[in-house]
Amino acid sequence: MKSGQILESKIQEARLKYPALKNKSYLNFGAQGSMALSTIERIQKSYEYVQENGPLSAAMFGWIVEECKKIKAILAEELGAQVASLALTQNATEGCNIALWGYEWQENDCLLTTDSEHNGVMKAALQLCKRRKLRLEICRLADLQSEEEIISELEKSIRQNKPKLFMLSHVLWNTGKVLPLKEITEICHKHDVLVLADGAQSVGVLPLNLKELGADFYAFTGHKWLGGPEGIGALYIKPESLERIEPTFAGWRGAVFDAKGYPVDWAPDASRFEVATAPFPLLSGLAEAIKLHREFGTAEERYQTILKNTARLSEALKSIPGLSLLNPGGGSSLLSFKIDKASHLEIVKKLDSQKIILRTIPNPDCIRASLHYFSNGEIDALVDGLKKLV
C-alpha cells in the first residue's frame, strides 16, 4: 500500500470515533470541536469514580492533585512547554484575562492589540482600559500579507505608542492568517514589550514549541481543535515572566499554607493563578482526546493533513462564481470567504438546515469553514451545497 492509502485508511478509522461526523458535515471546529465517544466515556467514568469514592474524600483529593499533574504533563509534552509554566483555566479568554489584569498597569499606559482579535478578548481589553485608565491602540495587520510588512507595521506602532504589552492571536480567528509569533516576540522584547498570545485557533492545529516561540503568555483552550470538553484550558507563562504579573483572583489551589492552614505565599509556579474547585473529571476527557490525536500521528503529520484538506477546499471554492477567499495562502485550519451579492447569514442558515455546519464572521463580513485532519467528506458536501445556493 502507498503511504497516501494508509493515511486515508487512518482518517476513515478516526472518523468513526466521533459521533458529530456520522450524520452531518461538521466544519466549525474553530468555534467548538467534537468529542470522540471514548472521550465522553472517559469523562463519565471519572465522574462515577469520584462519586463512588466520595467527592473530596482524602482519596479523591489526592486523585484531583494527580489528575492536574497528569494533564499538565500531557499538555507540556504536546506544546513544548514546562509543566511548572502551565496554569489550568476554563478557556483561552480566561487565560488572556489573567495576564491582562495581572500586569501592574499605571494610568495612561498603552495596551497594544491588532484589528483582528476575537470580540470576547477585545471586551476584556476594553474593560481593562476603562477600569485602569489605559490607552488601547490598534496595530492594523489584517490587510498585510508578508511577514516583512507585519513586522514593519508592528515596529512602527511600538515606536509611536510605547506599549507595555502587545496582545495578539497566533492565528487570526476571522481570516485564518498565521502571524509570525516568534519574530513578533523578538521585536517586542527588543523594546521591552510583553507578549500575550491568544492560541484559541492554533493549539491542536499548528505544531508548537512554546519555549521556542518565546511569548510571555500563551492562552488556549481544550474544547476546539484538541477535541476535549468545554471548561478546560490553560495559560502558559514563560518562566522569566512569572513575576511580571500578579493573581487577580485567588484561592486555595494557588496558595501555600502554614501548619494552621493560613495562606502565607503564592505557589512557586504558574499554578498560583488557579483558584478553587473546578470540574476535575473533565481533565481525564482532555487527556483521552489528546491520546486519540497522537494515535493518528504526530503534531506535524496532523498539521500536514489539515493543510492538504484546506488546500483541497480552497481549490474547490475557487470554482464557485462570485466567491472570493480572504486568506488563499492558507497556513491554518480556517478558510474564510465572501460571496458577491449574497447574505452570508442566510447561506449559513440554509446550509445548516442541510446539516452542513459552519459559521459567519462579522468583521470582515464573511463565511468561515474550519477543518480538521479528518475533514474530507465534508469538503465535497460544502462545495456541492454552495453551488446549489449561489
Side-chain angles (χ1 to χ4, degrees):
M1 279 183 124
K2 295 181 181 179
S3 59
Q5 292 174 311
I6 295 172
L7 185 60
E8 182 62 27
S9 67
K10 291 179 73 174
I11 289 174
Q12 295 310 316
E13 182 181 347
R15 289 179 63 85
L16 296 175
K17 300 175 181 179
Y18 294 85
L21 305 180
K22 291 182 179 180
N23 60 353
K24 65 184 71 66
S25 295
Y26 192 77
L27 292 162
N28 203 16
F29 290 91
Q32 182 155 331
S34 60
M35 287 195 292
L37 276 173
S38 62
T39 300
I40 299 169
E41 291 168 356
R42 190 71 192 89
I43 293 169
Q44 290 174 330
K45 288 180 180 178
S46 293
Y47 272 109
E48 290 170 3
Y49 179 75
V50 169
Q51 296 304 315
E52 288 169 0
N53 286 275
L56 221 60
S57 61
M60 284 300 92
F61 188 81
W63 178 83
I64 288 170
V65 171
E66 288 305 309
E67 287 298 298
C68 290
K69 288 181 180 178
K70 285 179 184 177
I71 194 59
K72 287 183 182 180
I74 291 170
L75 289 171
E77 182 180 3
E78 186 74 10
L79 304 175
Q82 308 92 322
V83 171
S85 296
L86 292 170
L88 296 178
T89 63
Q90 293 185 80
N91 46 59
T93 304
E94 181 181 347
C96 290
N97 269 275
I98 289 172
L100 287 171
W101 288 93
Y103 183 72
E104 289 297 319
W105 299 96
Q106 303 298 318
E107 186 173 335
N108 206 41
D109 278 348
C110 174
L111 167 62
L112 182 65
T113 189
T114 82
D115 54 354
S116 298
E117 298 310 305
H118 188 272
N119 47 28
V121 177
M122 279 302 299
K123 181 58 178 173
L126 289 167
Q127 180 67 2
L128 172 71
C129 291
K130 176 185 175 183
R131 292 280 301 275
R132 294 287 185 262
K133 298 181 180 179
L134 309 178
R135 291 181 293 117
L136 181 63
E137 300 292 344
I138 307 296
C139 183
R140 305 201 175 279
L141 305 179
D143 296 328
L144 304 181
Q145 298 303 318
S146 69
E147 291 187 5
E148 291 76 14
E149 289 177 306
I150 291 171
I151 295 299
S152 176
E153 183 64 23
L154 175 60
E155 282 203 285
K156 176 183 174 183
S157 188
I158 289 175
R159 288 195 299 270
Q160 288 178 343
N161 299 299
K162 296 180 172 54
K164 299 295 183 180
L165 185 147
F166 180 38
M167 179 181 73
L168 75 158
S169 294
H170 193 173
V171 175
L172 301 186
W173 79 293
N174 50 6
T175 66
K177 181 184 297 181
V178 182
L179 297 184
L181 182 58
K182 183 175 182 180
E183 292 75 12
I184 285 173
T185 297
E186 290 172 353
I187 293 297
C188 287
H189 287 171
K190 186 175 73 173
H191 294 277
D192 196 27
V193 179
L194 293 172
V195 176
L196 164 59
D198 180 347
Q201 303 298 346
S202 54
V203 169
V205 177
L206 306 181
L208 294 171
N209 187 313
L210 298 184
K211 288 185 287 187
E212 290 184 1
L213 287 173
D216 300 279
F217 315 105
Y218 198 104
F220 60 95
T221 184
H223 77 274
K224 297 193 179 193
W225 308 101
L226 290 178
E230 311 94 304
I232 299 296
L235 173 67
Y236 167 80
I237 304 174
K238 185 179 176 181
E240 297 87 340
S241 304
L242 182 62
E243 302 299 333
R244 300 291 298 271
I245 57 174
E246 289 273 347
T248 300
F249 291 96
W252 58 267
R253 283 171 64 194
V256 173
F257 301 90
D258 64 17
K260 294 183 178 181
Y262 189 82
V264 293
D265 204 351
W266 296 117
D269 56 16
S271 64
R272 67 179 63 176
F273 296 97
E274 298 171 12
V275 182
T277 305
F280 298 112
L282 296 182
L283 298 176
S284 61
L286 181 56
E288 174 66 18
I290 295 172
K291 173 189 170 186
L292 287 176
H293 293 317
R294 289 177 173 175
E295 288 175 359
F296 174 82
T298 65
E300 180 63 34
E301 289 169 338
R302 301 193 305 262
Y303 178 55
Q304 291 303 321
T305 307
I306 287 173
L307 292 183
K308 289 179 183 177
N309 288 337
T310 53
R312 182 181 152 210
L313 177 57
S314 178
E315 285 303 310
L317 289 175
K318 290 176 183 177
S319 68
I320 299 176
L323 187 149
S324 57
L325 291 166
L326 299 187
N327 184 33
S332 74
S333 49
L334 305 176
L335 272 179
S336 295
F337 53 92
K338 293 185 175 187
I339 301 174
D340 293 342
K341 300 177 182 179
S343 167
H344 295 139
L345 182 59
E346 287 303 313
I347 288 175
V348 167
K349 285 182 178 179
K350 289 177 180 178
L351 289 171
D352 191 89
S353 70
Q354 301 170 34
K355 294 192 174 182
I356 302 171
I357 315 298
L358 61 170
R359 65 162 295 171
T360 58
I361 297 291
N363 185 27
D365 177 21
C366 63
I367 298 172
R368 189 189 75 182
S370 44
L371 299 81
H372 222 308
Y373 59 79
F374 39 65
S375 301
N376 48 14
E378 288 82 359
I379 294 173
D380 295 331
L382 174 58
V383 175
D384 289 345
L386 285 170
K387 286 181 176 178
K388 291 175 182 176
L389 290 174
V390 176

